């Protein structure tokens, strides 16, 4: 009889959905992981034109259109002075597929993948799906990932370590010095660093740095996407960039599993990457104002929270029973343990929602916090 594959049996559907479903219809949702802004009109328009003139009807090259990959290559040169050949990029169905390709192509059964804990839920699940074993490592008190912790966790079985900056669920941004260390560790230990940079543009203090810029070997691959930067989560367009030999292996997985990323989304992405940046700047300014509002509100409620420098999440330490109390009063937050065992005692709040809703939610949070103390 056919049984289910063990790799898949080890994975369960994300707990985050259950929280949404438990909340009433009128609940204020601070559980959302996507920007509440429209996709820039020039990106939408490019897809409409590609559909109307028939360009979007056919498969593209497996890696994605030449012009999209050139736009991605130009972006890395412009933003980080990083030289990435358009041939060394695969356009994927969102950052999610890109993460999947990296792990499928580099992890053998029994090998370990070092992941931040708390960290984005997909790292654990996709490691299992690739047949590997996740090895969660704790964060510093400021919720950044310490390169020394990663280095200590490396064994002969380590295939990959994951770095995510700005990070989900913490909003933490790694320093340039940390990124240099991650690159050194990847080089010296000959272990692949998977750098998940999907929030790369949503940074309020300092700058985003990619460990790829500091590595001397090809042991860093970068994953990013249009999803968060251009508010294009529904379009499903991301990419992975790495050395030619790594891209060639990932293409084997992508070619048979996906053929190519959606063509209309590829045209929209190209326009987003090459068009005006103002919509992104406005969105980031709005997120920064909301972050400050939320930090003030949490501080007034007496909650301890490291200041996050990016993404659109905050992760305060919360007393026992806090998440249930807040949820019962009509505000959806995600309990920190949904992101790993070390997330216990924390909650993730997303401020990708209107200022008005945030103000109301913060009042409710203040009352709820008093009630559980
Ligand atoms: C850290 C991180 N990486 C990757 C993704 C996946 O992004 P996409 O929607 O492009 O698949 C997400 C989505 O929430 C994320 O938070």
């Amino acid at each position: 009889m056919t049984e289910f594959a063990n790799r898949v049996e080890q994975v369960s559907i994300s707990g985050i959905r259950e929280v949404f479903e438990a909340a009433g219809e009128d609940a204020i949702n601070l559980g959302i992981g996507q920007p509440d802004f429209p996709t820039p009109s020039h990106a939408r328009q490019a897809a409409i034109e590609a559909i109307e003139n028939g360009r979007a009807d056919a498969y593209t090259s497996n890696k994605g259109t030449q012009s999209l990959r050139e736009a991605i290559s130009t972006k890395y040169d412009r933003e980080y002075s990083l030289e990435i050949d358009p041939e060394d990029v695969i356009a994927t169905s969102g950052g999610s597929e890109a993460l999947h390709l990296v792990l499928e192509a580099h992890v053998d059964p029994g090998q370990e993948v070092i992941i931040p804990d708390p960290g984005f839920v997909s790292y654990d699940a996709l490691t299992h799906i690739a047949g590997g074993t996740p090895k969660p490592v704790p964060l510093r008190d400021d919720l950044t990932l310490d390169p020394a912790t990663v280095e200590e966790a490396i064994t002969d079985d380590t295939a990959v370590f994951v770095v995510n900056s700005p990070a989900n669920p913490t909003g933490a941004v790694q320093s340039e010095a940390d990124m240099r260390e991650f690159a050194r560790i990847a080089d010296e230990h000959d272990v692949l660093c998977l750098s998940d940079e999907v929030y790369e543009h949503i940074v309020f203090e300092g700058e985003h740095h990619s460990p790829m810029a500091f590595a001397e070997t090809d042991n860093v691959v970068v994953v990013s996407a249009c999803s968060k930067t251009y508010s294009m989560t529904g379009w499903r367009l991301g990419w992975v960039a790495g050395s030619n030999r790594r891209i060639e292996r990932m293409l084997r997985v992508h070619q048979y599993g996906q053929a190519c990323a959606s063509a209309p989304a590829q045209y929209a992405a190209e326009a987003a990457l090459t068009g005006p940046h103002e919509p992104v700047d406005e969105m980031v300014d709005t997120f920064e104002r909301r972050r400050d509002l939320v930090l003030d509100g949490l501080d007034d409620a007496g909650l301890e929270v490291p200041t996050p420098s990016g993404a659109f999440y905050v992760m305060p330490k919360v007393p026992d029973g806090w998440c249930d109390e807040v949820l019962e009063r009509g505000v959806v937050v995600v309990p920190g343990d949904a992101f790993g065992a070390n997330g216990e005692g924390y909650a993730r709040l997303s401020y990708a929602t209107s200022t008005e809703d945030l103000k109301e939610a913060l009042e409710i949070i203040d009352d709820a916090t008093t009630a559980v103390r």
Side-chain angles (χ1 to χ4, degrees):
M1 203 184 77
T2 308
E3 295 290 349
F4 294 111
N6 192 35
R7 299 187 314 281
V8 174
E9 289 298 81
Q10 286 172 337
V11 172
S12 46
I13 299 296
S14 160
I16 300 180
R17 283 272 144 230
E18 288 159 25
V19 180
F20 288 177
E21 277 152 26
E25 278 203 349
D26 298 332
I28 301 175
N29 196 340
L30 306 190
I32 310 174
Q34 60 183 343
D36 55 323
F37 292 81
T39 297
S41 58
H42 54 274
R44 287 182 178 170
Q45 211 48 47
I48 291 168
E49 276 162 27
I51 289 167
E52 284 181 344
N53 66 24
R55 274 199 305 160
D57 288 350
Y59 294 125
T60 69
S61 133
N62 295 125
K63 283 185 182 171
T65 66
Q66 180 70 24
S67 53
L68 170 59
R69 286 180 289 114
E70 277 168 10
I72 293 169
S73 164
T74 305
K75 159 207 155 62
Y76 281 104
D77 185 25
R78 184 181 63 228
E79 293 171 1
Y80 310 115
S81 304
L82 250 177
E83 260 181 56
I84 294 177
D85 192 304
E87 282 309 305
D88 296 342
V89 173
I90 304 173
T92 56
S93 178
S96 301
E97 195 217 348
L99 296 173
H100 181 61
L101 296 186
V102 177
L103 296 174
E104 286 295 315
H106 293 94
V107 180
D108 263 332
Q111 285 195 302
E112 291 174 348
V113 177
I114 297 171
I115 59 173
D117 177 4
F120 178 47
V121 290
S122 294
Y123 306 141
D124 176 273
L126 291 173
T127 298
H128 282 300
I129 290 170
T133 307
K135 191 168 187 184
V137 292
L139 305 178
R140 294 174 174 130
D141 288 345
D142 68 358
L143 302 181
T144 57
L145 179 63
D146 189 342
T149 311
V150 171
E151 192 163 24
E152 276 159 28
I154 291 177
T155 68
D156 290 346
D157 294 327
T158 308
V160 177
F161 68 89
V162 177
V163 174
N164 172 215
S165 177
N168 177 8
T170 61
V173 174
Q174 300 288 151
S175 67
E176 178 181 341
D178 283 349
M179 292 306 205
R180 285 184 185 276
E181 272 296 281
F182 289 128
R184 179 195 61 76
I185 292 166
D187 287 343
E188 278 182 21
H189 293 267
D190 199 14
V191 168
L192 186 70
C193 169
L194 162 49
S195 182
D196 179 347
E197 305 182 9
V198 301
Y199 295 96
E200 62 185 304
H201 281 284
I202 310 178
V203 176
F204 314 126
E205 282 96 26
E207 283 174 15
H208 170 71
H209 296 279
S210 174
M212 188 182 261
F214 309 120
E216 283 167 17
T217 65
D218 73 346
N219 284 349
V220 179
V221 290
V222 168
V223 164
S224 195
C226 289
S227 308
K228 316 287 176 174
T229 304
Y230 303 108
S231 201
M232 289 177 66
T233 50
W235 292 83
R236 311 307 306 132
L237 203 291
W239 58 86
V240 54
S243 68
N244 205 265
R245 66 182 184 126
R246 298 197 188 280
I247 288 292
E248 201 272 330
R249 298 321 192 278
M250 292 189 258
L251 188 61
R252 297 181 198 180
V253 183
H254 176 72
Q255 174 167 16
Y256 296 109
Q258 186 77 17
C260 66
S262 153
Q266 291 191 48
Y267 292 109
E270 183 185 332
L273 284 157
T274 54
H277 213 255
E278 284 77 19
V280 180
D281 297 338
E282 280 164 27
M283 179 180 79
V284 174
D285 286 349
T286 307
F287 279 146
E288 187 174 356
R289 282 196 298 276
R290 290 185 193 160
R291 177 203 60 172
D292 293 344
L293 175 78
V294 172
L295 286 178
D296 281 350
L298 295 178
D299 190 46
D300 289 348
L303 294 171
E304 194 187 315
V305 52
T307 300
S309 299
F312 37 74
Y313 309 108
V314 292
M315 206 169 193
K317 265 193 190 149
V318 295
D320 275 355
W322 186 88
C323 291
D324 289 339
E325 184 70 31
V326 168
L327 188 64
E328 264 167 39
R329 290 168 185 249
V331 177
V332 181
V333 297
V334 184
D337 58 6
F339 304 97
N342 290 318
E344 172 105 51
Y346 289 86
R348 187 192 76 174
L349 281 60
S350 157
Y351 45 89
T353 191
S354 73
T355 304
E356 201 176 61
D357 276 358
L358 285 174
K359 284 184 178 158
E360 198 181 328
L362 287 167
E363 277 176 28
I364 296 171
I365 284 172
D366 198 9
D367 292 344
T369 309
T370 310
V372 291
R373 275 234 163 90

